[in-house]
Amino acid sequence: MISARHFKRSIIIIISTFVLLLLIFTISVATGFASLSPDRLLPTLLGNGTAKENLILFTFRLPRILIAVLAGMGLALSGAILQSITRNPLADPGILGINSGAGLFVVFFVLLFGNSTGNHLYLLPLFALIGGLITAIFIYLLSYKRGEGIQPGRMLLVGVGLAAAINGALLTLASKMAREEYDFFANWAAGRIWGDDWLFVFALLPWLAILIPFIYFKSNTLNTMALNEELSVGLGVKTNKERYILLLASVALAAASVSVSGGIAFIGLLAPHIARSLVGPRHQLFLPVAAMFGGLLLLSADTIGRVLLDTIGIPAGVIVSFIGAPYFLYLMAKK
């Protein structure tokens, strides 16, 4: 049971996080190569902007900002699920190689159809899902031991090893690419948000619209599975079945997100840890905060990257890694 005091505090944190996300959204809209005054944001959104303001907001800024927020939410929730079902505080779809597996199939997609926004774009998250799912299955099979389940250390080593192998395959594939395809691969691997068109938003949105409510519906199951295996079974949870279902949901969220945002790691590690420290481990409160912090982190990273180098920018994945890599090493040392 949640005490009334803790629940009230958690609601205040959720509202504060949402307000902070809106603030970063406003800053992101107003900054960049072409500026848009914050006081003109609402009139432009309501259709009362000039032609220049409409062009800046609806063509250049809003699709990219929405991709950053939605992809950040997807990656954060993916990491939160992985950490709960494996009871591994270091679990993250980027660190474990799931993002790399999804990226390999994103590259296959680009080689087949090109990187233009054509009719095949809605298949992109599906391609990424296949790659991420194959990787996740290998991680699960290689890290599972009968009678012991999945050991966090073994899972981490297997994931890192698979990620290295997949990245090697990606580099081999990249060496045979044409210049335009290689430029795309380099930007994707660095974590540059490349899906800055409304078609990418509409390709990603249905996945999140289905998976986020489903995962929230599974909050009680996640609460139980975050405990030890014997207690979960004793409380009537079909752990193997639920683990497969939730693993599929986690991989789908990560794969759909990186398919349009680039190879971004550490969001799935950082956001759940921040959320858990603020509202505790109960998933009914923990998941919304983790999702908002995921969107907040990726949008902030993309905005900072655009401001630091106005002409070419720094990829959001690089900015996130500056924070995430030291934190990951700290957790490694601590655990």
Side-chain angles (χ1 to χ4, degrees), residues 109 113 119-128:
F109 176 89
F113 302 115
N119 295 327
H120 302 293
L121 183 61
Y122 296 100
L123 295 174
L124 180 56
L126 186 60
F127 267 68

Side-chain angles (χ1 to χ4, degrees), residues 24-31 36 41 56-57 61 65 306:
I24 298 299
F25 172 87
T26 304
I27 293 171
S28 186
V29 167
T31 55
L36 177 66
L41 175 58
I56 294 170
L57 180 62
R61 294 277 163 78
I65 289 171
R306 285 194 290 112

Side-chain angles (χ1 to χ4, degrees), residues 143-192:
S143 59
Y144 183 86
K145 191 172 182 180
R146 191 178 182 87
E148 295 181 15
I150 296 177
Q151 295 298 313
R154 188 187 301 125
M155 183 181 188
L156 185 65
L157 289 172
V158 169
V160 170
L162 273 176
I166 293 168
N167 287 333
L170 279 168
L171 288 173
T172 303
L173 200 61
S175 67
K176 303 181 184 301
M177 290 178 177
R179 176 61 186 269
E180 184 180 346
E181 292 165 346
Y182 180 81
D183 288 344
F184 162 79
F185 164 75
N187 284 323
W188 185 92
R192 188 184 300 278

